[in-house]
Amino acid sequence: MDTIAMIINKDKNKLKFPRGFLWGAATSSHQVEGGTKNQWSEWEKENANKLVKLAEAKWQDWQKNKFPEMFNPQNYISGQACDHYNRYEEDFNIAKELGHNVHRFSIEWSRVEPEEGKFDEKEIEHYRNVIKALRERGMEPFVTLWHWTNPLWLEEKGGCESKKFSFYFSRYAKFVAENLKDDVKFWITINEPTSVIASAYMQNSWPPQKKSLIAAWKLYRSFARAHIEAYKAIHSVSKKSKVGFANILHSFKSYHKITWMDDVSIFFARYFTNRRMLNLTHGYNDFLTVQYYFHNRFKFPRKIRLNDKPVNDLNWEMYPHGIYRILKHLKQHKLPIYITENGLADAGDSKREKFIKDHLKWIHKAISEGVDVRGYFYWSLLDNFEWDKGFWPRFGLVEINYDTLERKIRPSAWKYAEICKSNELKYDY
Ligand code: BGC
């Protein structure tokens, strides 16, 4: 990597990134592939009608008017999604055209191990071809092993709560690594464990919709164990591998001028969202990741919303400065850092270019202050199935017409492409 001095440009509006910086986008199997059969696909079918009813109370009027799809039960069924399983070459052609030199995707566990202990060679061959297609187009693969979906046999045994979750997960990780080790260097074991703990076990909105603080508490250790076992399994078959997990990191701000009461809430929220998984996996990460979407404002004892702040289509506040504070904090770990997700739902594509540039500006500042950031993955390459919210939130650099499956590159994707291709951000506003 370049020295800090080399990335500081005299022209203040032109920010140069370190040589070899990785530029790309991310996806996950269940959200784009289509045709998956796992605990989410089953839950969607059972809950589509309920989710329609919930939408009425959950979203603001402007969102309901803009996205009437949220009142159609089909919106909540992943079904064929983007059919990326069959169209990955077409999608990677687009990524290549957009100047990406890295791509993050996930392997669907339920395809590779559809029955307990029985691995499907055909599916491994599929993912071998996916990786080959990336390499042929000059993109480094970042492979996620678990992006929230469990095979049905595992779900019957208790899913992530099973005492043997780490055993099953590391056995699967080892199988995949043994088969793909020659073509993959970067492995991400588990995607955002704390999002699953919060949404499935505390807020009751994702499967298995079990509101239980005890289960939530135990899951931290269970996910940490799964990561560590998988870390060891991957390293046992491939010494050159780099292994980490994908961590969602929130930014926090207190509301009152005298902040100590708000700070108490922030202390606990920050510990359970940002810190605990990192502490529990200490020593078992070859790199760190940042997945940044949320800026949380606290007015003791809870989170609040301020109406005058810029938001995306999901009404999430956009706060680019937050990523800088997160990165500065991670510096102490002295590990390479990849921004493995950062993005927004913006169907009209009117905010995406500025969103990306603003975040990159802060990331660049962190790099210039010695934080070892080595790559940025926009979420997501394609519009996709946004879990319990279904298809209406549009995160893609590429727009998907879900009737025809036609792909259309959004204007902001070309703006991001300029940055990827030149390794430099022209910041002209
Ligand atoms: C997840 C993605 C999701 C994105 C936007 C991340 O937390 O990893 O699967 O689509 O956020 O909500």
Side-chain angles (χ1 to χ4, degrees):
M1 295 302 258
D2 293 350
T3 60
I4 293 165
M6 287 167 81
I7 66 158
I8 297 177
N9 210 310
K10 288 212 182 72
D11 180 350
K12 271 218 211 107
N13 298 330
K14 232 193 230 172
L15 306 177
K16 208 166 149 29
F17 280 75
R19 203 176 318 126
F21 197 81
L22 296 177
W23 295 104
T27 61
S28 91
S29 56
H30 186 67
Q31 295 178 271
V32 296
E33 280 186 352
T36 51
K37 197 165 166 54
N38 52 45
Q39 95 278 26
W40 266 93
S41 64
E42 301 314 283
W43 181 84
E44 288 153 26
K45 286 179 229 152
E46 280 162 30
N47 288 277
N49 289 323
K50 236 187 262 168
L51 292 168
V52 166
K53 289 201 189 108
L54 284 176
E56 191 53 52
K58 188 165 172 183
W59 305 107
Q60 310 274 316
D61 286 343
W62 64 267
Q63 293 169 297
K64 291 188 238 176
N65 293 333
K66 198 166 163 193
F67 303 105
E69 314 92 281
M70 65 170 72
F71 298 108
N72 178 354
Q74 280 309 312
N75 171 67
Y76 299 98
I77 294 179
S78 54
Q80 67 174 352
C82 311
D83 194 30
H84 178 73
Y85 187 81
N86 296 307
R87 295 168 194 242
Y88 64 89
E89 288 182 295
E90 178 187 346
D91 294 335
F92 296 163
N93 284 344
I94 296 175
K96 182 182 175 195
E97 211 182 329
L98 292 174
H100 297 189
N101 59 16
V102 71
H103 182 72
R104 174 179 172 226
F105 71 96
S106 76
I107 291 190
E108 178 61 33
W109 187 356
S110 63
R111 288 190 195 276
V112 170
E113 192 181 356
E115 284 177 57
E116 184 185 345
K118 292 201 178 126
F119 293 95
D120 189 332
E121 295 292 339
K122 248 188 12 271
E123 295 294 350
I124 273 292
E125 190 54 27
H126 168 80
Y127 288 111
R128 195 174 285 122
N129 289 334
V130 168
I131 291 160
K132 192 164 155 243
L134 285 173
R135 291 231 175 264
E136 281 169 359
R137 289 162 181 79
M139 284 180 272
E140 178 74 34
F142 267 57
V143 178
T144 308
L145 289 164
W146 188 79
H147 202 119
W148 302 348
T149 49
N150 288 333
L152 293 177
W153 60 262
L154 172 60
E155 205 53 21
E156 275 163 29
K157 292 174 184 291
C160 309
E161 287 172 82
S162 159
K163 288 212 168 69
K164 290 178 77 181
F165 180 72
S166 63
F167 165 77
Y168 295 129
F169 179 65
S170 54
R171 182 176 65 181
Y172 149 72
K174 188 168 184 192
F175 175 81
V176 175
E178 270 165 352
N179 279 276
L180 303 180
K181 64 175 188 296
D182 294 340
D183 306 311
V184 178
K185 179 171 171 200
F186 294 98
W187 300 92
I188 292 179
T189 55
I190 289 184
N191 185 68
E192 294 186 2
T194 50
S195 299
V196 176
I197 294 172
S199 300
Y201 292 87
M202 292 168 81
Q203 292 146 17
N204 217 15
S205 46
W206 293 357
Q209 290 188 292
K210 181 169 168 185
K211 212 168 182 171
S212 159
L213 284 182
I214 295 174
W217 176 255
K218 285 188 182 161
L219 272 170
Y220 280 99
R221 282 194 186 278
S222 171
F223 281 131
R225 216 175 303 124
H227 166 74
I228 292 169
E229 292 304 317
Y231 177 96
K232 291 180 184 162
I234 297 168
H235 276 293
S236 76
V237 299
S238 159
K239 297 275 173 289
K240 71 169 197 321
S241 288
K242 300 286 176 204
V243 186
F245 75 100
N247 204 11
I248 188 154
L249 295 165
H250 295 219
S251 117
F252 296 94
K253 198 167 170 61
S254 47
Y255 173 78
H256 294 102
K257 286 232 164 62
I258 298 172
T259 63
W260 71 268
M261 294 241 293
D262 303 341
D263 288 345
V264 172
S265 302
I266 291 176
F267 175 84
F268 287 105
R270 183 178 277 135
Y271 175 71
F272 284 106
T273 42
N274 292 8
R275 306 257 162 99
R276 188 162 163 75
M277 276 306 295
L278 267 184
N279 294 350
L280 289 172
T281 58
H282 182 75
Y284 296 95
N285 290 301
D286 300 323
F287 58 86
L288 298 181
T289 63
V290 174
Q291 312 213 142
Y292 176 60
Y293 294 94
F294 296 107
H295 181 55
N296 299 325
R297 295 175 185 273
F298 271 87
K299 184 174 182 183
F300 181 83
R302 54 179 53 87
K303 275 197 265 185
I304 54 151
R305 295 236 95 135
L306 297 182
N307 290 332
D308 58 337
K309 302 295 172 198
V311 293
N312 69 20
D313 287 346
L314 282 159
N315 207 23
W316 298 351
E317 183 178 341
M318 299 182 289
Y319 187 74
H321 183 213
I323 202 164
Y324 167 76
R325 302 208 323 238
I326 287 168
L327 288 170
K328 290 288 280 193
H329 184 81
L330 289 182
K331 188 178 172 196
Q332 60 183 306
H333 294 276
K334 299 191 171 62
L335 285 169
I337 300 169
Y338 297 91
I339 318 285
T340 42
E341 283 186 34
N342 175 231
L344 81 167
D346 177 26
D349 203 39
S350 58
K351 301 176 179 163
R352 191 169 281 107
E353 178 189 348
K354 179 163 161 42
F355 177 97
I356 294 174
K357 288 186 172 173
D358 286 350
H359 281 80
L360 288 175
K361 192 179 155 210
W362 285 110
I363 292 167
H364 186 276
K365 181 166 164 59
I367 297 173
S368 70
E369 291 169 12
V371 185
D372 186 7
V373 184
R374 299 193 181 179
Y376 177 84
F377 299 67
Y378 176 78
W379 181 271
S380 175
L381 178 63
L382 310 172
D383 283 342
N384 60 52
F385 181 73
E386 179 57 19
W387 307 106
D388 60 326
K389 297 160 194 82
F391 286 109
W392 68 261
R394 302 280 187 153
F395 277 87
L397 292 172
V398 178
E399 181 184 344
I400 303 284
N401 175 330
Y402 289 111
D403 296 324
T404 61
L405 293 173
E406 191 197 337
R407 275 81 170 132
K408 200 162 140 202
I409 301 176
R410 292 199 162 100
S412 59
W414 292 113
K415 294 292 177 185
Y416 177 48
E418 284 171 17
I419 302 167
C420 302
K421 289 176 188 175
S422 62
N423 201 31
E424 146 182 307
L425 165 66
K426 287 195 194 77
Y427 197 78
D428 41 17
Y429 51 88

